[in-house]
Structure formats: C-alpha cells, structure tokens
C-alpha cells in the first residue's frame, strides 16, 4: 500500500519536523508531504513512536476499564408480560454467574487502585514532583480510557439483530481514512440492489423519451444539406433520427411514403423542419458548370451580329440557284446532277452588312438540328416556284419553320417564266397560314428570278430589315459557343467540322468540346477557303483538330481545361449508352392515357397522310374535334402520298404520331420509325382511326391478340405417378412443345379441354422445350382424362398491331 508522509503526520497527530528528524537519522534525502514512504521507513517510524509512548504495566488500564463496566445499565420494565417470564427463566442462572464474575473483578480492581494510591506518596518523594500533577495525569488517562471504550450495546436476544454492528470494534481500531473508505464501499455493496430497483421504477416511457429527444433537438438544432432528391432512409441518417420517425412525420404531413421512396427537396425540407433542423440546399457543381461559361451577357457588352438565314423549299424550285446568284459564284455546276450534296454555310456582304446563309438539302438537316435542340437560324427564306406553286416539300418546309418559330420570308422564284403566277402562290400560302403583307398579313412575299437576278436585291434588303426588327445581338468578347452544321472524316486531315459561331469569338488553338468530340483548333478556314485566326458571332468556319467526328446539330463550347473537357466527353458517351438501353418513351396510343394521367401530355400532335386531299381534311377536322380539357389534338402536318422519311423525322422532332389512310410507308421511313420509336398507325377506314384515338384518350384502348400455334404432340402412353398424377408419354409431331405454354386437347378432331403445361421432361431431365421428332413426358395442370391418340396442341397469345 502507498503511504504518503502527509497521511502519516495526520494519522499520528505529530508535526512534520518530528517525522523528518527521525528519518534523517537513518535515511538520506529530503521529504515532503507527497513523498511515498518505503516499508523500511514506515517500520522505523512505527518502532520509534511505539517506544516513545510505551508504559510499564497495563494493570492501571484494565482497572479503569473495569470501573467503567460497573456503570449500572438501565433496568428493564417490571411490567413484562407473564408470557415472557417462563421464557427468561433459563437465562436467570447465566445472569447470576456473570454477576459473580463481575464482583470478583470489582474486588481485584479495588485492590489495584488501593495499591496505586499507596505508591503515590513514595513516588512524590522519589520524583520530587507534586502529588497534584500525578493526580491530574491519572485523571487525563482515565478520560482517554473512557473515550476509547465508548461503544454501543448490542442485544443479541432480540428478534431483529443488525449484524453490521459487530464490526464496530474493527472500525474503531482503524484510522479515520480507512474507516470512511470501508464504510463507503460497504454502503455501495449493500445498496446496489436497491439502486437497481429504483432505476426500474423510474424507467421513462416512449412518449417521455420522444419528448426529451425533441427538446434536445430544439435546444441544439442541426444543419442539414439536402440535394434535389433524397430517399427517406438517407434523410433519416442526415437528421440523426430513425427511419420510422421520419416516415411518421411525413405521414402526419399527409404523405404516404416508405423507407426506400424518393422525395423532393421541398418535401424533405418540411420533414427536416419538423425535427427543428436548419435546411440548406445542396449545390451540385458539374464539370460543365466548371469549364463552360453560360452566364448571361450584360447589355453594354452586346453588339449587333449578322442574321443567320436558311433557304428551304421544294426540290428544283431554285434554292441553290438563288443562293448562287447571291454569292456570285457557280456552286451548282460542281454538284452531281445540280442537287446540293451537303450542308453549306456561306457569308455574303450586302451593302455594309453581312448575312450568313445555310444551304440545306431540303429541310432534313434543319429538322435534325431542331430535334437536337439547336436553335440555329433567325430567318427562313421559303423558295416557291411561281409556275409550280406550293408542292408537298413546300408544305413540309412551312410546318418546320412554324415549329421552329422563325421569321419567314417567301421568295417567289422563276418569275422569268411565262407560266409564272405569283397571285396563285399567295392564295396557296394563305391556305397554310402564311398571309402576305400586301394582303394584310405579316409575311413578306418578294418576286425574284435566280436566273436574271430580278428582285434579289429587294429580297436581301428585306432580310436586313427583318434582322433589324429582331435586334440580333451577341457578345464577341467571351469564349465561343455555337453549333455544328456538318462534319465528315477526311483521310488526310482527320475529322473536319463545319461550325457556326453564335456567341463569343473562336480563336486558333482554343480547346473545343462538341458533343462527344473534344480537341484543340489546329486550323480554321472561312467559307471561301481562306485560313483565318479567329471567327466572331454569326461566322461559319471549318475547323480541324477534333478527336472524333461530331454530329450535325451538336452544340460546341470553348473550354479552359482540356483534362476536364475529356472527362466531360466520357460522361456524355456514358449517358448516350444509357439512353440507348433506357430509351425515352415516345407518345403512342398505347401510353397516351398514362402520360395524360402523369400530366406529361397536354397536346397530342398528329401527322396525317392519305391518298387524297379530301381524306386529309376530313381526318384533320375529325381529330381536332376530339380535344378535351386534358389533352388537345393538334394536326401539325397533313399531306397526300406515302409516309416518307421526312414525316418520320418531323414526328420524332415534334413527339408526334403518324396516321395514314390507304397509304403505306416506304422502306426507309419504316426503318427510321422503328429505330426512333415513332408510333405509326395505318388505317383503311377513317372511323377506325377516330374511334381508336378517342379510346386511347379515355384510357380504354384494349390491346389486340392473336393465337400463334407452337407445335403439336401425340399422346402414345399414359403413365400414372402417385406423387404427380397422370403423365402423357408423347411424341412431338411438328413445331415444338414449350413448358408453361397453353395447350388444348383434341380428340377425334374435337377440342375436349384447354389447359396449361405444368411439367415437361425428356427422360429424367426437366427441359424448357422439345422439338419435333423427339419423345417427351407432358404433365398438365388440371386435365387428367388423357387417352392414347389424343393430340396436345401448344399455342401462345401474341399482342399485335394492325
């Protein structure tokens, strides 16, 4: 045991100097109150103090103790019940013996006291000390003896005895320090069971626990950062609560959710506020946000830019010839058969202003870019031959221009021909919603001749006028952004892209990202083939340096970090792969009602193709009458003739369905529709179309099924198995027998039962199907009355479209 010097001084009631002086006699070193004494040092101190306080005889001590015991004890009440008298008779003899012993001790003590008193005069003479002092000493020693012998009396004869009181003499023998420690530890041991009982009695209820937790959360609110969407389980982790508590809070807010359900930010915020949490919205910074600058330009930084014009119209109506006259270069002669072979972007100067023209093969490229979300053009010039008037491709071009919401200028071409009739063209334009300005509308109609140049200047002036009205502006002092017009792979130079800069300035050496292609601009040429170092807004250029061929309609951006740009491209490639596997659901008559229920379908767009114009108009009017409060039917295009690729591309871009009457799609259109997921419905009777679309809008479009025979088998033996039932040992005659297929049992040409194959085995192996020419065992689910010669015919029901 570790015993410090300070504790020893306190226990012996001596001064520090006395102890340190004793230790210096035998031991070296200085000592303070916190010094721990060794066993040898303790033994030495104990021996010194024992010798110092020793006495010659203990007779005086015992004599005084005997006198203390003679003090009379309180007598018991004389009025004890008579019932206890008989019980105490046996104890009387023992009490008398104890009394005799006490008397003998008393006599001996008196003798010792007398002897000590006789010695007192002799001691006075010998020591030369006054007798009064000796008497005072005896009195003080007597007081000490009496103080030390003070104790409680335990009556062991009573019925309830506290055994712990017998340990009192041991407590007196020990020091105050050890006595207090023992008593505390003893108290802990004896009260442990009582403390457990108290804790059991004070166990808090669930309501109290929840209230305590709520108060703690209210006193110390936590801050949670929530994303746009989060599961209930993840929200519970962020709130440091159980999922059940979060579900309960949401239920109280009127939302029935489970642990794995995904909730939006607003719902999660309401739930978090119920837990007294402070909510912050998570800001997700993507790679695009880091490297692509999509900030809005201030008005003071904007400058006027050149308009981008697309030329569209029917084939051979003179689109390229008109553009050729404007460019003052013969482009048509270099192309096979005089037909434009690729998309061209050209920049011409009219007065002191520039105009950028896009020469497209028809309108397919225009549709592709719009379908990919690229708004490239500002003005569309619709070229219509004055002698032919509006043709099918002209109507398609009108519909495309309307859908793109671009300004339309009509160029009535071939005015040099004798059969030119511009008034008839204007009348036809009114029928398709384009009212000429001279007739009170807003569509400029300019008579021109690409051959003689008649009216070309008026057309260009009108383009500039419309551009001025539109107030086209851009910021040239920022990183370039634009659209890929066309791209190809050159054997010698690698991927080449024709691009149109729409905002900012593109410089040679810039890092560019275009769709899934990335690279650094190595060379840049304008529409005339001249190498340039930079290109501003509305300037078409051809660039090299990309690692892959981009797609027409891809948006390109100039970025600052090439490593992040390549990482972004990889993300886009992965996203494209995911879209291939999880294709976006196009609207069909089968899912029309579901999309209406989800609130995603507000307008059903329809493209109508028929064999005669009268059918187109009749169907258009009938379909538009089907519009209701939930969905509006809109015929965005109607024409005569077969369903072609252009119709499918328009339907894909506009999320429309195609309805045909007495017409069929060509091979390319059918392949494109299947690839793009465009719903194409072909009818012979108009009423069937009206009824089917009306049923789809009401959610009652029932699927059509037809029966497809899989194979036939002949029962040649019936085997009975106790644990299974009847098994038909059969031979497959034709086709194949498939497990779990529907079957009918034919006996003598009459169907006697319809059932389903429950088990199919070949020898001892369970198989999925058995082909013709092989034997097998067939077990049916319900029918057991099989006989030899029965024909088991397997079939399945397949859903189909007309």
């Amino acid at each position: 045991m570790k015993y410090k010097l300070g504790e020893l001084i306190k226990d012996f009631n001596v001064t520090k100097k006395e102890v340190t002086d004793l230790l210096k006699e035998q031991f070296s070193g200085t000592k303070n109150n916190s010094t721990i004494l060794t066993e040898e040092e303790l033994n030495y101190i104990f021996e010194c103090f024992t010798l110092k306080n020793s006495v010659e005889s203990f007779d005086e001590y015992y004599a005084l103790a005997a006198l203390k015991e003679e003090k009379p004890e309180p007598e018991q009440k004389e009025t004890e019940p008579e019932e206890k008298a008989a019980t105490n008779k046996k104890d009387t003899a023992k009490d008398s013996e104890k009394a005799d012993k006490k008397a003998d001790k008393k006599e001996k003590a008196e003798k010792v006291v007398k002897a000590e008193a006789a010695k007192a005069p002799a001691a006075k003479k010998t020591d030369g000390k006054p007798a009064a002092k000796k008497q005072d000493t005896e009195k003080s020693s007597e007081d000490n003896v009496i103080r030390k012998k003070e104790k409680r009396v335990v009556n062991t004869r009573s019925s309830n005895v506290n055994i712990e009181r017998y340990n009192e003499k041991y407590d007196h023998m020990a020091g105050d320090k050890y006595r207090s420690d023992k008593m505390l530890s003893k108290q802990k041991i004896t009260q442990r069971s009582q403390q457990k009982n108290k804790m059991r009695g004070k166990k808090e209820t669930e309501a109290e626990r929840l209230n305590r937790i709520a108060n703690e959360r209210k006193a110390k609110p936590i801050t949670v950062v929530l994303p746009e969407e989060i599961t209930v389980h993840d929200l519970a982790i962020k709130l440091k609560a159980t999922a059940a508590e979060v579900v309960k809070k949401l239920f109280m807010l009127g939302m029935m959710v489970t642990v794995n359900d995904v909730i939006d930010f607003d719902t999660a915020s309401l739930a978090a506020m119920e837990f007294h949490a402070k909510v912050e919205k998570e800001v997700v910074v993507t790679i695009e946000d880091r490297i692509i600058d999509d900030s809005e330009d201030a008005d003071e930084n904007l400058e006027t830019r050149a308009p981008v014009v697309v030329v569209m119209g029917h084939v051979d109506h003179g689109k390229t010839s008109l553009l050729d006259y404007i460019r003052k270069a013969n482009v048509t002669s270099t192309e096979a058969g005089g037909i434009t072979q690729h998309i061209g972007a050209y920049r011409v100067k009219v007065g002191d202003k520039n105009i950028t023209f896009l020469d497209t093969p028809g309108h397919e490229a225009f549709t592709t870019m719009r379908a990919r979300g690229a708004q490239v053009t500002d003005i569309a010039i619709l070229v219509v031959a004055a002698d032919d008037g509006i043709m099918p491709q002209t109507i398609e071009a009108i519909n495309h221009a309307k859908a793109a919401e671009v300004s339309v200028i009509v160029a009535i071409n071939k005015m040099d021909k004798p059969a030119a009739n511009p008034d008839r063209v204007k009348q036809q334009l009114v029928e398709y919603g384009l009212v000429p300005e001279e007739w009170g509308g807003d569509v400029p109609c300019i008579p021109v001749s690409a051959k003689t140049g008649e009216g070309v200047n008026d057309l260009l002036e009108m383009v500039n006028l419309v551009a001025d009205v539109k107030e086209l502006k851009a910021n040239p002092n920022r990183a370039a952004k634009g659209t890929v017009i066309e791209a190809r792979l050159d054997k010698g130079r690698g991927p080449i892209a024709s691009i149109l800069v729409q905002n900012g300035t593109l410089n040679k050496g810039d890092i560019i990202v275009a769709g899934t292609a990335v690279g650094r601009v190595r060379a840049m040429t304008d529409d005339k083939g001249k190498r340039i170092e930079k290109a501003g807004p509305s300037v078409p250029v051809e660039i090299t340096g990309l690692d892959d061929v981009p797609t027409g309609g891809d948006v390109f951006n100039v970025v600052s970090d090439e490593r992040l740009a390549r990482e972004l491209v990889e993300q886009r490639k992965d996203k494209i792969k995911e879209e291939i596997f999880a294709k976006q659901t196009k609207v069909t008559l089968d899912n029309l009602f579901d999309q209406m229920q989800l609130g995603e379908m507000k307008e059903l767009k329809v493209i109508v193709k028929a064999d005669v114009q009268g059918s187109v108009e009749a169907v258009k009017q009938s379909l538009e009458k089907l519009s209701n409060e939930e969905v509006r039917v809109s015929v965005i295009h109607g024409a005569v003739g077969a369903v072609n690729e252009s119709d499918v591309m328009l339907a894909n871009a506009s999320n429309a369905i195609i309805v045909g009457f007495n017409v069929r799609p060509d091979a390319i259109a059918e392949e494109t529709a299947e690839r793009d997921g465009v719903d194409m419905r072909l009818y012979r009777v108009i009423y069937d179309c009206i009824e089917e679309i009306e049923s789809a809008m009401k959610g009652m479009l029932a699927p059509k099924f037809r029966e497809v025979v899989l194979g036939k088998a002949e029962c040649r033996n019936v085997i009975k198995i106790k644990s299974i039932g009847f098994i038909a040992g059969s031979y497959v005659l034709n086709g194949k027998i498939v497990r779990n297929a529907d079957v009918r049992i034919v006996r003598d040409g009459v169907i006697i039962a319809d059932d389903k194959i429950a088990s199919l085995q070949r020898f001892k192996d369970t198989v999925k199907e058995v082909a013709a020419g092989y034997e097998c065992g067939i077990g049916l689910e319900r029918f057991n009355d099989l006989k030899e010669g029965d024909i088991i015919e397997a079939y399945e029901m397949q859903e189909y479209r007309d």
Side-chain angles (χ1 to χ4, degrees), residues 28 53 76 78 112 125 278 317 325 495 523 588 617 646 689 726 741:
S28 61
N53 297 322
Q76 295 182 353
E78 295 179 359
V112 171
K125 294 176 181 179
K278 296 179 181 179
H317 274 203
Y325 185 88
T588 65
E617 296 299 325
S646 176
C689 169
F726 291 92

Side-chain angles (χ1 to χ4, degrees), residues 61-80:
Y61 174 80
Y62 288 125
L64 294 172
L67 287 174
K68 178 62 179 174
E69 290 180 0
E70 286 180 5
K71 287 186 178 180
E73 296 181 2
E75 296 182 358
Q76 295 182 353
K77 293 181 180 179
E78 295 179 359
T79 59
E80 287 184 349

Side-chain angles (χ1 to χ4, degrees), residues 482-497:
T483 305
V484 177
I485 304 301
E486 69 169 2
R488 67 184 188 276
L489 183 63
D490 187 87
K491 292 182 179 180
R493 296 192 296 168
I496 298 176

Side-chain angles (χ1 to χ4, degrees), residues 428-640:
Q428 291 175 336
L429 290 172
V430 173
E431 296 176 3
Y432 291 98
L434 298 179
V435 182
E437 285 182 340
E438 52 265 35
W439 288 12
D442 58 352
V443 178
C445 295
I446 312 298
V448 298
S449 173
K451 187 174 182 180
T452 63
E454 176 190 351
V456 173
N457 291 333
D458 296 337
L459 177 64
L460 296 178
E461 289 178 3
M462 182 58 65
V463 170
N464 283 331
L465 178 61
V466 173
D468 292 340
V469 172
K470 293 174 74 74
E471 294 183 350
L472 305 173
K473 293 183 178 182
N475 180 13
N477 301 315
R478 63 174 295 170
K481 178 182 179 180
T483 305
V484 177
I485 304 301
E486 69 169 2
R488 67 184 188 276
L489 183 63
D490 187 87
K491 292 182 179 180
R493 296 192 296 168
I496 298 176
S498 297
I499 62 175
L500 175 67
V501 180
Q502 294 176 276
N503 200 9
T505 300
L506 180 66
N507 298 290
K508 181 181 177 181
D510 285 346
I511 302 168
I512 187 173
V513 175
T516 57
V518 63
R520 193 180 292 270
V521 179
R522 291 203 305 261
M524 187 162 47
T525 56
D526 60 9
D527 57 298
K528 299 176 179 61
K530 181 182 177 183
R531 285 183 173 267
I532 58 177
E533 296 295 323
K534 61 181 180 178
S538 300
V539 176
V541 291
E542 191 175 74
I543 64 169
T544 60
L546 297 175
D547 63 347
D548 197 3
V549 179
T551 306
D554 281 342
V555 176
F556 78 84
N557 291 91
V558 171
V559 298
S560 56
D561 193 322
E562 186 173 0
R563 182 184 62 82
L564 290 177
R566 296 188 182 279
E567 189 175 342
L568 173 61
V569 166
E570 291 299 322
Q571 288 183 0
R572 289 179 176 178
K573 289 180 179 178
D574 294 339
K575 188 177 180 181
I576 291 174
K577 291 179 182 178
E578 292 176 2
E579 288 176 353
I580 293 174
F581 291 106
K583 200 171 195 178
Q584 182 182 359
T585 305
K586 295 286 184 181
V587 60
T588 65
L589 291 185
D590 298 314
N591 62 19
L592 173 62
F593 184 72
D594 294 334
Q595 294 195 27
M596 288 168 57
Q597 292 293 99
L598 295 173
E600 297 176 356
M601 200 65 203
K602 299 298 182 185
E603 182 181 19
L604 174 62
K605 297 178 182 178
V606 182
I607 295 174
V608 179
K609 298 298 291 285
D611 54 345
V612 293
Q613 185 65 31
S615 299
V616 175
E617 296 299 325
V619 173
K620 183 177 179 180
Q621 294 176 4
S622 300
L623 291 178
E624 289 179 347
K625 289 180 182 178
L626 296 176
S627 301
N628 54 34
E629 295 179 356
E630 296 179 350
V631 62
R632 180 172 64 88
V633 180
S634 175
V635 179
I636 62 172
H637 176 58
V640 177

